[in-house]
Structure formats: structure tokens, C-alpha cells
């Protein structure tokens, strides 16, 4: 398939976005930037178009998609019921990185929801994403625009590496501002549940509704997650990832020891660390996520760093962990998933 690449810096951007909107109406695939990660979009109301997304990504059939809207009338069209809590959250956090589950309307085909009776909806904050949705005049179903299992794309180059030739159009909007996928919340139980942590934190949500908790399966690989997507090994670089948690000195010592053990076997070892510690290590493949205290910066850099290790062809990545406050919870969730739960407490 021929893939047309356009950029938000193009002088005729508006016409190109209109053309992209038309492509969505015609059942084609358009990759677009959002504030979280890039999404691979199709008309959410067209089951045949949505099937193409699953094929292009190699996505498991049982993993439902998020429907992106640009105004509240589209929420009405894709849901058959909304709750007061949902509307309060939407009012506070939309447009933005919060995805809310609703009962789906009959307009939404089961291809979009992977057979579920619920539909996940979010209104993204990125203005290119909003323009594309309104020009297409359709709600747009869009998972992250990576090959299934790989780290989500936060730059157009990541999308091109995974999906060039498999989609009709890619809109390059530069690096994503947040860098981690949206927070996903399920309001169907008495105490609402965060199915996937993101940059909208539990603390922020608690300022709007009285209670919310994390899905217990997030940190326990033996429980079945409520969100189908959370059950797969995810965000994964090609290399094996080991995460070291605890006191900084002990973590550094253990990583160094493990590094020499692996290197003596002839393996290429990458180290994922922070500015504060990066000079303590020796080796050729050391990547810093930025300052340990800048959690927003770490979130923005994480998926790119995992892809950099792929390019460096390392065999094993030894990673330090982050504090779990605020967006740190989401950062740790992605590192945890990328490692397949391979956490070491020295
Ligand atoms: O920030 C984001 O959310 C990005 C951008 C493109 O908007 N999208 C994204 O989509 O991360 P995806 O498909 O990679 O992740 C969607 C997650 C999956 O874990 C999926 O299982 C869950 O949302 N999900 C979608 N619909 C659901 C439903 N009806 N019930 C439970 N979980 C659902
Ligand atoms: Mg994804």
C-alpha cells in the first residue's frame, strides 16, 4: 500500500487534513498524533474499516479500541447511557488523556469493541487530532500506532518504522507531549476502577468523584485484568528487560554486578538510568531518561528509549525504577509490562 506522509508544518496543512478526513470517511487508515501517543485511526462506525486496523497492527482480535471524539454530540451517538460521574469526569478532563468506558450504542459495531457491549471513549487534546475527527465527521477508533507488542509510538519515526506501507496516511505532528497512553477508567462498579494508569492520576480523579481504585490485576500477573489489553506483554523492546528497585546504591551495585556477569557471557548489555546516576556506569549502551525528579520528562522519553535499545541491538536491558507518585504510577506500569513483571529487589 502507498503511504502518504504529511506534516503539521506543511503550508497547506488544512487542505491535507481535509483530505485525511475524507480518507477516514472512505474507510481508509490514517495515523495521527495525539497528546499521549500516535494513534492508527479508522471510522469507528465502519466495521470493515476497523478490521484493517487489527490487520495492520497484528492486534489480537479480543482487544477493543478506543473511540476518539471531537465534540459531545458524538458521545451521544456512540453510547446508549451516560452517568453523572462520567459527565463530571468528561467536563473536567476532556479534551485530554482520560478514556471512559460506556455502554455502547448500536451504531458502534462489535469490530470496534472486540465483541464487548461497552465502548471506551476519549476526546483528545491535540489540535491536529481534533481537526481530523471533525473534518472526517466521524468518531475515530484508534489504538496506539505501533506493531502489537512493541512500545507505543511517540514520534512519527516510530510509526514509520512499524506501519509504513500498511496505512494510507501518516500525519507527523512531532514528538507527543505526554508520551504515555491515556488513563482508562471503568465506572460500572460502585467504586470506579482505573484499568490502565496514565497521566491523569488517581489523586486528580478523586477531586471530581468520591472514590476510585486501581484494578488489582495491574500489579499481579496471576489475576485476569478487566481491560483486555493489559493481559498481553506490552511496550516491549526486543531485548529482555530487568528492572531493579530499591535504595539507589544497592540498585547501582546490583546492576553493575549483573552487567559484568552478562558481558562475560558475550552479551550486549544496555542500561536504562537517570541523569543523576548515568556517569556511575561504564559501558557503551547507557540511556538516561532525564532527571529522576522530572517525571513528566521521563514519561515523554520512555518509549523512545526502549526503541533506541532496539536499534542498538542490545540483548539485555538493566533498568532502574522510578518513584510511583503521580504519573510515576503510569511510568512504572509501562516498565513493569515491558519487563513481563521481571522486577528485582536487591
Ligand atoms: O492515549 C491513548 O489511549 C492512545 C491514543 C491513540 O488515544 N490509545 C491507546 O489505545 O492507547 P490502545 O488500543 O493501545 O489501548 C486501549 C486500551 C487497551 O488496554 C484496551 O484493552 C482498553 O483500552 N479498552 C478499550 N476498550 C475497552 C473496553 N470496552 N473495556 C475494557 N477495556 C477497553
Ligand atoms: Mg497500545
Amino acid at each position: 500500500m502507498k503511504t502518504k506522509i504529511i506534516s503539521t508544518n506543511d503550508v497547506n496543512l488544512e487542505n491535507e487534513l481535509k483530505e485525511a478526513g475524507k480518507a477516514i470517511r472512505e474507510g481508509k487508515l490514517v495515523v495521527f498524533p495525539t497528546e499521549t501517543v500516535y494513534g492508527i485511526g479508522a471510522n469507528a462506525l465502519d466495521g470493515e474499516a476497523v478490521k484493517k486496523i487489527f490487520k495492520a497492527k497484528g492486534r489480537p482480535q479480543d482487544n477493543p479500541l478506543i473511540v476518539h471524539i471531537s465534540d459531545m454530540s458524538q458521545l451521544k451517538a456512540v453510547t446508549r447511557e451516560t452517568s453523572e460521574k462520567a459527565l463530571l469526569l468528561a467536563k473536567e478532563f476532556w479534551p485530554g488523556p482520560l478514556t471512559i468506558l460506556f455502554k455502547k450504542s448500536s451504531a458502534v459495531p462489535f469490530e470496534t469493541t472486540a465483541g464487548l457491549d461497552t465502548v471506551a471513549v476519549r476526546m483528545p487534546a491535540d489540535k491536529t487530532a481534533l481537526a481530523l475527527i471533525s473534518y472526517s465527521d466521524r468518531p475515530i477508533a484508534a489504538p496506539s500506532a505501533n506493531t502489537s507488542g512493541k512500545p507505543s509510538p511517540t514520534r512519527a519515526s516510530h510509526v514509520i518504522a512499524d506501519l509504513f506501507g500498511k496505512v494510507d496516511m501518516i500525519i507527523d505532528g512531532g514528538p507527543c507531549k505526554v508520551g504515555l497512553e491515556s488513563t482508562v477508567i471503568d465506572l460500572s462498579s460502585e467504586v470506579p476502577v482505573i484499568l490502565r494508569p496514565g497521566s491523569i492520576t488517581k489523586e486528580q480523579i478523586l477531586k471530581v468523584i468520591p472514590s476510585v481504585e486501581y484494578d488489582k490485576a495491574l500489579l499481579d500477573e496471576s489475576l485476569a485484568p478487566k481491560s483486555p489489553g493489559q493481559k498481553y506483554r506490552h511496550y516491549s523492546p526486543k531485548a529482555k528487560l530487568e528492572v531493579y528497585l530499591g535504595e539507589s546504591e544497592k540498585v547501582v551495585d546490583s546492576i553493575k554486578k549483573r552487567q559484568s556477569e552478562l558481558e562475560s557471557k558475550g552479551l550486549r548489555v544496555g542500561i536504562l538510568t537517570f541523569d543523576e546516576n548515568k556517569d556511575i556506569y561504564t559501558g557503551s549502551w547507557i540511556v538516561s531518561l532525564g532527571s529522576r525528579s522530572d517525571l513528566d520528562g521521563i514519561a515523554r522519553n520512555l518509549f523512545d528509549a526502549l526503541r533506541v535499545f532496539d536499534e542498538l541491538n542490545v540483548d539485555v536491558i538493566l533498568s532502574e525504577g522510578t518513584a510511583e507518585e503521580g504519573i510515576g504510577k503510569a511510568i512504572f506500569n509501562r516498565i513493569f509490562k515491558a519487563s513481563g513483571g521481571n522486577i528485582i529487589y536487591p
Side-chain angles (χ1 to χ4, degrees), residues 26 38 49 71 96 120 136 142 148 155 178 180 182 190 193 201 234 236 241 249-250 287 294-295 314 330 332 339 345:
E26 289 169 348
Y38 279 79
D71 67 69
S136 75
S148 245
R155 297 166 189 219
V178 176
L180 296 180
S182 61
E190 193 173 311
V193 181
T201 63
H234 235 115
S236 302
L241 175 62
E249 243 169 69
K250 282 189 188 163
V287 175
D294 177 14
L295 290 175
V314 303
F332 183 70
S339 74
Y345 296 91

mmCIF file of all heavy atoms in Angstrom, residues 26 38 49 71 96 120 136 142 148 155 178 180 182 190 193 201 234 236 241 249-250 287 294-295 314 330 332 339 345:
data_model
loop_
_atom_site.group_PDB
_atom_site.id
_atom_site.type_symbol
_atom_site.label_atom_id
_atom_site.label_comp_id
_atom_site.label_asym_id
_atom_site.label_seq_id
_atom_site.Cartn_x
_atom_site.Cartn_y
_atom_site.Cartn_z
ATOM 1 N N GLU A 26 -13.860 7.306 3.788
ATOM 2 C CA GLU A 26 -13.799 6.266 2.746
ATOM 3 C C GLU A 26 -13.325 4.921 3.279
ATOM 4 O O GLU A 26 -13.058 4.001 2.516
ATOM 5 C CB GLU A 26 -12.855 6.725 1.621
ATOM 6 C CG GLU A 26 -13.440 7.851 0.791
ATOM 7 C CD GLU A 26 -12.408 8.477 -0.153
ATOM 8 O OE1 GLU A 26 -11.195 8.196 0.001
ATOM 9 O OE2 GLU A 26 -12.839 9.246 -1.033
ATOM 10 N N TYR A 38 0.889 8.384 19.257
ATOM 11 C CA TYR A 38 0.238 8.383 17.945
ATOM 12 C C TYR A 38 -0.827 7.286 17.906
ATOM 13 O O TYR A 38 -0.658 6.220 18.505
ATOM 14 C CB TYR A 38 1.266 8.133 16.835
ATOM 15 C CG TYR A 38 2.032 9.379 16.444
ATOM 16 C CD1 TYR A 38 3.083 9.842 17.217
ATOM 17 C CD2 TYR A 38 1.678 10.105 15.295
ATOM 18 C CE1 TYR A 38 3.778 10.998 16.864
ATOM 19 C CE2 TYR A 38 2.366 11.255 14.939
ATOM 20 C CZ TYR A 38 3.408 11.702 15.721
ATOM 21 O OH TYR A 38 4.080 12.840 15.367
ATOM 22 N N ALA A 49 -13.724 -1.094 8.037
ATOM 23 C CA ALA A 49 -12.558 -0.204 8.161
ATOM 24 C C ALA A 49 -11.769 -0.549 9.425
ATOM 25 O O ALA A 49 -10.534 -0.597 9.416
ATOM 26 C CB ALA A 49 -13.025 1.252 8.212
ATOM 27 N N ASP A 71 -16.435 16.282 19.742
ATOM 28 C CA ASP A 71 -17.444 17.075 20.456
ATOM 29 C C ASP A 71 -18.460 16.168 21.140
ATOM 30 O O ASP A 71 -18.544 14.980 20.836
ATOM 31 C CB ASP A 71 -18.128 18.089 19.533
ATOM 32 C CG ASP A 71 -18.973 17.413 18.488
ATOM 33 O OD1 ASP A 71 -20.021 16.828 18.845
ATOM 34 O OD2 ASP A 71 -18.574 17.422 17.303
ATOM 35 N N GLY A 96 -8.563 15.687 26.682
ATOM 36 C CA GLY A 96 -7.390 15.289 27.443
ATOM 37 C C GLY A 96 -7.248 13.784 27.561
ATOM 38 O O GLY A 96 -8.078 13.029 27.040
ATOM 39 N N ALA A 120 -15.029 2.297 24.844
ATOM 40 C CA ALA A 120 -14.102 3.216 25.509
ATOM 41 C C ALA A 120 -14.041 4.495 24.680
ATOM 42 O O ALA A 120 -13.869 4.436 23.462
ATOM 43 C CB ALA A 120 -12.715 2.573 25.599
ATOM 44 N N SER A 136 -13.389 14.594 9.414
ATOM 45 C CA SER A 136 -13.910 13.287 8.957
ATOM 46 C C SER A 136 -15.405 13.188 9.252
ATOM 47 O O SER A 136 -16.111 12.410 8.631
ATOM 48 C CB SER A 136 -13.168 12.143 9.639
ATOM 49 O OG SER A 136 -13.591 12.005 10.980
ATOM 50 N N ALA A 142 -9.119 4.321 17.391
ATOM 51 C CA ALA A 142 -7.659 4.358 17.216
ATOM 52 C C ALA A 142 -6.920 3.769 18.405
ATOM 53 O O ALA A 142 -6.951 4.338 19.494
ATOM 54 C CB ALA A 142 -7.192 5.794 16.996
ATOM 55 N N SER A 148 1.682 -4.505 17.232
ATOM 56 C CA SER A 148 1.248 -5.034 18.525
ATOM 57 C C SER A 148 2.422 -5.595 19.319
ATOM 58 O O SER A 148 3.267 -6.289 18.773
ATOM 59 C CB SER A 148 0.228 -6.150 18.306
ATOM 60 O OG SER A 148 -0.998 -5.753 18.818
ATOM 61 N N ARG A 155 6.796 9.362 18.373
ATOM 62 C CA ARG A 155 7.325 10.194 17.286
ATOM 63 C C ARG A 155 6.919 9.572 15.960
ATOM 64 O O ARG A 155 6.736 8.345 15.889
ATOM 65 C CB ARG A 155 8.860 10.231 17.335
ATOM 66 C CG ARG A 155 9.362 10.855 18.594
ATOM 67 C CD ARG A 155 10.824 10.591 18.804
ATOM 68 N NE ARG A 155 11.128 11.068 20.148
ATOM 69 C CZ ARG A 155 12.220 11.700 20.511
ATOM 70 N NH1 ARG A 155 13.166 11.915 19.633
ATOM 71 N NH2 ARG A 155 12.374 12.112 21.744
ATOM 72 N N VAL A 178 2.766 14.091 26.102
ATOM 73 C CA VAL A 178 2.696 13.275 27.323
ATOM 74 C C VAL A 178 3.609 12.054 27.201
ATOM 75 O O VAL A 178 4.408 11.761 28.087
ATOM 76 C CB VAL A 178 1.243 12.832 27.620
ATOM 77 C CG1 VAL A 178 1.195 11.913 28.832
ATOM 78 C CG2 VAL A 178 0.348 14.050 27.839
ATOM 79 N N LEU A 180 2.849 8.817 27.247
ATOM 80 C CA LEU A 180 2.253 7.560 27.728
ATOM 81 C C LEU A 180 0.773 7.589 27.373
ATOM 82 O O LEU A 180 0.163 8.658 27.341
ATOM 83 C CB LEU A 180 2.370 7.430 29.247
ATOM 84 C CG LEU A 180 3.761 7.343 29.853
ATOM 85 C CD1 LEU A 180 3.644 7.208 31.374
ATOM 86 C CD2 LEU A 180 4.552 6.179 29.288
ATOM 87 N N SER A 182 -3.394 7.161 27.504
ATOM 88 C CA SER A 182 -4.381 7.737 28.420
ATOM 89 C C SER A 182 -4.701 6.824 29.607
ATOM 90 O O SER A 182 -4.561 5.597 29.528
ATOM 91 C CB SER A 182 -5.680 8.018 27.650
ATOM 92 O OG SER A 182 -6.193 6.811 27.121
ATOM 93 N N GLU A 190 -19.564 0.088 41.853
ATOM 94 C CA GLU A 190 -19.836 1.141 42.823
ATOM 95 C C GLU A 190 -18.581 1.993 43.057
ATOM 96 O O GLU A 190 -18.644 3.218 43.064
ATOM 97 C CB GLU A 190 -20.337 0.544 44.131
ATOM 98 C CG GLU A 190 -20.910 1.622 45.020
ATOM 99 C CD GLU A 190 -21.564 1.024 46.246
ATOM 100 O OE1 GLU A 190 -22.366 0.084 46.080
ATOM 101 O OE2 GLU A 190 -21.256 1.506 47.356
ATOM 102 N N VAL A 193 -13.008 1.904 38.740
ATOM 103 C CA VAL A 193 -11.713 1.232 38.684
ATOM 104 C C VAL A 193 -10.848 1.811 37.561
ATOM 105 O O VAL A 193 -11.319 1.984 36.433
ATOM 106 C CB VAL A 193 -11.917 -0.287 38.436
ATOM 107 C CG1 VAL A 193 -10.566 -1.008 38.398
ATOM 108 C CG2 VAL A 193 -12.797 -0.899 39.519
ATOM 109 N N THR A 201 -4.077 11.327 37.075
ATOM 110 C CA THR A 201 -3.782 10.441 38.205
ATOM 111 C C THR A 201 -5.022 10.151 39.049
ATOM 112 O O THR A 201 -6.033 10.857 38.967
ATOM 113 C CB THR A 201 -2.722 11.075 39.111
ATOM 114 O OG1 THR A 201 -3.269 12.293 39.661
ATOM 115 C CG2 THR A 201 -1.450 11.409 38.343
ATOM 116 N N HIS A 234 3.682 -6.176 26.712
ATOM 117 C CA HIS A 234 3.381 -4.941 26.028
ATOM 118 C C HIS A 234 4.577 -4.051 26.003
ATOM 119 O O HIS A 234 5.474 -4.219 26.812
ATOM 120 C CB HIS A 234 2.333 -4.212 26.881
ATOM 121 C CG HIS A 234 1.117 -3.875 26.117
ATOM 122 N ND1 HIS A 234 -0.091 -4.410 26.400
ATOM 123 C CD2 HIS A 234 0.921 -3.053 25.068
ATOM 124 C CE1 HIS A 234 -0.994 -3.924 25.582
ATOM 125 N NE2 HIS A 234 -0.402 -3.092 24.753
ATOM 126 N N SER A 236 7.076 -3.718 24.558
ATOM 127 C CA SER A 236 8.297 -4.472 24.771
ATOM 128 C C SER A 236 9.368 -4.208 23.736
ATOM 129 O O SER A 236 9.120 -4.315 22.543
ATOM 130 C CB SER A 236 7.989 -5.960 24.747
ATOM 131 O OG SER A 236 7.048 -6.228 25.728
ATOM 132 N N LEU A 241 14.203 -7.328 29.474
ATOM 133 C CA LEU A 241 14.326 -6.174 30.379
ATOM 134 C C LEU A 241 14.258 -6.634 31.837
ATOM 135 O O LEU A 241 13.359 -7.382 32.210
ATOM 136 C CB LEU A 241 13.192 -5.181 30.072
ATOM 137 C CG LEU A 241 13.018 -3.942 30.938
ATOM 138 C CD1 LEU A 241 14.233 -3.022 30.875
ATOM 139 C CD2 LEU A 241 11.785 -3.154 30.495
ATOM 140 N N GLU A 249 21.888 3.092 45.960
ATOM 141 C CA GLU A 249 23.225 2.475 45.992
ATOM 142 C C GLU A 249 23.175 0.980 45.714
ATOM 143 O O GLU A 249 23.974 0.451 44.949
ATOM 144 C CB GLU A 249 23.838 2.684 47.379
ATOM 145 C CG GLU A 249 25.115 3.522 47.350
ATOM 146 C CD GLU A 249 25.533 3.915 48.753
ATOM 147 O OE1 GLU A 249 25.939 3.013 49.510
ATOM 148 O OE2 GLU A 249 25.408 5.112 49.088
ATOM 149 N N LYS A 250 22.201 0.324 46.354
ATOM 150 C CA LYS A 250 22.059 -1.133 46.165
ATOM 151 C C LYS A 250 21.670 -1.453 44.730
ATOM 152 O O LYS A 250 22.141 -2.432 44.142
ATOM 153 C CB LYS A 250 20.979 -1.683 47.107
ATOM 154 C CG LYS A 250 21.440 -1.840 48.529
ATOM 155 C CD LYS A 250 20.381 -2.584 49.316
ATOM 156 C CE LYS A 250 20.737 -2.593 50.796
ATOM 157 N NZ LYS A 250 19.576 -2.946 51.631
ATOM 158 N N VAL A 287 21.488 4.697 28.489
ATOM 159 C CA VAL A 287 20.490 5.695 28.077
ATOM 160 C C VAL A 287 19.869 6.306 29.337
ATOM 161 O O VAL A 287 19.453 5.578 30.244
ATOM 162 C CB VAL A 287 19.388 5.056 27.198
ATOM 163 C CG1 VAL A 287 18.302 6.069 26.878
ATOM 164 C CG2 VAL A 287 19.988 4.501 25.896
ATOM 165 N N ASP A 294 12.153 14.670 37.352
ATOM 166 C CA ASP A 294 11.268 15.182 36.292
ATOM 167 C C ASP A 294 10.435 14.037 35.711
ATOM 168 O O ASP A 294 10.722 13.511 34.640
ATOM 169 C CB ASP A 294 12.114 15.858 35.204
ATOM 170 C CG ASP A 294 11.278 16.356 34.033
ATOM 171 O OD1 ASP A 294 10.030 16.426 34.167
ATOM 172 O OD2 ASP A 294 11.873 16.654 32.976
ATOM 173 N N LEU A 295 9.356 13.675 36.423
ATOM 174 C CA LEU A 295 8.563 12.518 35.999
ATOM 175 C C LEU A 295 7.899 12.746 34.642
ATOM 176 O O LEU A 295 7.775 11.824 33.838
ATOM 177 C CB LEU A 295 7.522 12.166 37.062
ATOM 178 C CG LEU A 295 8.084 11.569 38.367
ATOM 179 C CD1 LEU A 295 6.968 11.366 39.381
ATOM 180 C CD2 LEU A 295 8.798 10.248 38.114
ATOM 181 N N VAL A 314 20.838 -4.388 21.663
ATOM 182 C CA VAL A 314 21.324 -4.963 22.913
ATOM 183 C C VAL A 314 20.523 -6.236 23.214
ATOM 184 O O VAL A 314 19.409 -6.418 22.722
ATOM 185 C CB VAL A 314 21.236 -3.968 24.104
ATOM 186 C CG1 VAL A 314 21.996 -2.691 23.798
ATOM 187 C CG2 VAL A 314 19.795 -3.659 24.470
ATOM 188 N N ALA A 330 2.005 5.436 36.294
ATOM 189 C CA ALA A 330 1.839 5.006 34.898
ATOM 190 C C ALA A 330 3.187 4.605 34.300
ATOM 191 O O ALA A 330 3.278 3.623 33.560
ATOM 192 C CB ALA A 330 1.202 6.125 34.069
ATOM 193 N N PHE A 332 5.742 3.400 35.903
ATOM 194 C CA PHE A 332 6.117 2.089 36.439
ATOM 195 C C PHE A 332 5.283 0.974 35.800
ATOM 196 O O PHE A 332 5.811 -0.096 35.476
ATOM 197 C CB PHE A 332 5.990 2.047 37.964
ATOM 198 C CG PHE A 332 6.442 0.723 38.497
ATOM 199 C CD1 PHE A 332 7.782 0.381 38.465
ATOM 200 C CD2 PHE A 332 5.524 -0.212 38.952
ATOM 201 C CE1 PHE A 332 8.208 -0.867 38.900
ATOM 202 C CE2 PHE A 332 5.945 -1.459 39.380
ATOM 203 C CZ PHE A 332 7.283 -1.784 39.364
ATOM 204 N N SER A 339 8.783 -5.384 30.992
ATOM 205 C CA SER A 339 9.707 -6.381 31.534
ATOM 206 C C SER A 339 9.023 -7.737 31.720
ATOM 207 O O SER A 339 9.668 -8.708 32.108
ATOM 208 C CB SER A 339 10.255 -5.909 32.887
ATOM 209 O OG SER A 339 9.249 -6.035 33.884
ATOM 210 N N TYR A 345 14.413 -6.896 43.544
ATOM 211 C CA TYR A 345 14.620 -6.004 44.697
ATOM 212 C C TYR A 345 15.933 -6.371 45.385
ATOM 213 O O TYR A 345 15.956 -7.285 46.196
ATOM 214 C CB TYR A 345 13.466 -6.169 45.699
ATOM 215 C CG TYR A 345 12.121 -5.757 45.152
ATOM 216 C CD1 TYR A 345 11.306 -6.684 44.518
ATOM 217 C CD2 TYR A 345 11.664 -4.452 45.264
ATOM 218 C CE1 TYR A 345 10.057 -6.325 43.992
ATOM 219 C CE2 TYR A 345 10.422 -4.075 44.752
ATOM 220 C CZ TYR A 345 9.637 -5.021 44.124
ATOM 221 O OH TYR A 345 8.415 -4.670 43.611
#
